[in-house]
Amino acid sequence: MSTPRDLRVIVIGAGMAGILSVIRLREIGLPDLTVYEKADRLGGTWRENRYPGVACDVPSHLYSYTFAPNPEWTHRFSPGPEIQEYLETVATEYDVERDVRYGEEVTELSWMEGRWHLRTASGIIDEADVVIAATGVLHHPSYPVIDGLDDFAGITMHTARWDDGLSLAGRRVGIIGTGSSAIQTLPTIVDEVASVSLFQRTAQWVMPADNPAYTEDEKAAFRDDPGLLHTLHEEISELFSNGFSNAVVDADSEGMRMIEAACLANLEDSVADPELRERLRPDYRAGCKRLVISPTFYDGIQHPNAELVTEDIERIEPGGVRTADGRLHELDVLVLATGFRVDRFLRPIEVIGVDGLTLDEAWAKRPNAYLSISTPGFPNLFMLNGPNGPVGNFSLIEVAEVQFNYISQLMDLLRDGRAGSVCVTGSATEEFEEERTIQAGNTVWATGCNSWYLDDRGVPMAWPWNFQEYRDRLARPDLALDLLAD
Ligand code: NAP
């Protein structure tokens, strides 16, 4: 037993999960907190991803905090700037920013004498009983290794580092990649550019989805009756999270067959030219890569300004991209829609846990965490959307809320003196990881494709059971079996 105490909490990151943490920490009576945010503005992924067409492919009324439903969403799938505005509005409403220190990049976290000691790049030193890492998953851009990339004489931009001041009107644009970022960018710019060449290494299955606007009458009804928004949230959650999540974790499920049929019909019905259709046809199962949802991609790629390039890229030259057939695709702007380094999590922060163990050492093979929240050797350090969590086409807001509820119960142990520190045990982590790895083999993500879901062994880095199971497992920490509370 320890002494009951008030806790001081440090949150790293002021994105969706950091904002959630501030609001919920105050609500549960832990107002002694500071958020360190390296940028000068909140919003995380929505602050950083500002490429044309950026949008969320989770329905807006699901991609909302449960405590802050939003009657003003304009579309079923809202554009990125609207989500950024939503996050800012919620933050203002809850006065979140009074606890945020912007422009402060955390460089070091050390566990010493039962507390976390923090240092920032500017030299700030702070300490706390608990650290919540709300540092995001898709955060560090992945740059491709292609000969000559630095020689390009035009403008090169990663989609997550978009230059807001740049006009693409009349320019010859190349896009490398066919993930969600590329597939949202292309149809958005195709009308204004002189040309857009999409360099496809691997074809994508594309799930069709209508994106209707909410009418003024619908929005007025949502404003008048918050119960309607709640019902809508529950309905979409049931349909989207449960329906989809049941399908992807069982490669042989009926739900997966329906998704595959919808993607196949979309390709067959939407692409007129048989030769183009074949070049757009993937040779792996739909859903194996993270499913791309787009109502506009096939129209975009068939636009007279667009060209699908399926020859391998040989190198980049000052004038453009040279493909293996010897052709030079002359370009003014090269967009790298090449995704993210998904193994980073809170790194490059140097995290030093019990007995000098560093997170780099603990994760030398690969990042790992029990229920995606806690890692052995790092007590009172809790991650939101940490390694191997539910990352499929879920609402990561919903995931983070479930995780926060779990973390708040761990913090109760510290507050009421049942423990001085809380951490998952090594054996529970190993058992969990073994069970998770076996189950991951049944998912559609393991059916034979390359994707950012796969770790160095080819095992999906994801929660391999359905979302209800995640909710159930996180409803209450199993202290006897899983957690070391000293
Ligand atoms: P991504 O899905 O990882 O796609 C990266 C693309 O770049 C792939 O097509 C990949 O080809 C290609 N690529 C990488 N290196 C290459 C190289 N050297 N030469 C040629 N091609 C190369 O990245 P993303 O589109 O940014 O999406 C990442 C994730 O962000 C998504 O899966 C999703 O979770 C999230 N996201 C979500 C939304 C949304 O609407 N909610 C929007 C954007 C992004 P291969 O396939 O051959 O590897």
Side-chain angles (χ1 to χ4, degrees), residues 273-286:
D273 173 10
E275 193 258 344
L276 177 65
R277 198 186 311 140
E278 288 322 301
R279 293 199 297 134
L280 286 168
R281 188 186 302 274
D283 60 1
Y284 54 88
R285 290 185 60 182

Side-chain angles (χ1 to χ4, degrees), residues 457-472:
R457 304 164 296 177
V459 173
M461 302 181 286
W463 177 257
W465 297 277
N466 68 18
F467 193 53
Q468 188 55 46
E469 178 93 14
Y470 194 68
R471 280 200 196 97
D472 293 347

Side-chain angles (χ1 to χ4, degrees), residues 51 55 57 138 178-181 184 201-202 289-290 337-339 452:
Y51 58 83
D57 58 11
L138 301 165
T178 51
S180 300
S181 302
Q184 291 179 341
R201 184 165 69 180
T202 312
K289 279 175 181 286
R290 196 224 196 228
T338 45
W452 66 262

Side-chain angles (χ1 to χ4, degrees), residues 45-46 49 51 53-58 63 78 138 142-146 158-160 176-184 199-204 284 289-293 313 336-340 342 391-394 396 450-453:
T45 198
W46 301 106
N49 283 277
Y51 58 83
V54 60
C56 187
D57 58 11
V58 174
Y63 197 82
S78 293
L138 301 165
S142 171
Y143 290 91
V145 180
I146 303 176
H158 191 280
T159 42
I176 299 181
T178 51
S180 300
S181 302
I183 281 179
Q184 291 179 341
F199 296 92
Q200 168 184 290
R201 184 165 69 180
T202 312
Q204 279 280 10
Y284 54 88
K289 279 175 181 286
R290 196 224 196 228
L291 198 62
V292 166
I293 299 177
I313 296 175
L336 306 176
T338 45
F340 299 88
V342 292
V391 292
N393 294 56
F394 297 104
L396 287 193
N450 269 326
S451 80
W452 66 262
Y453 278 5

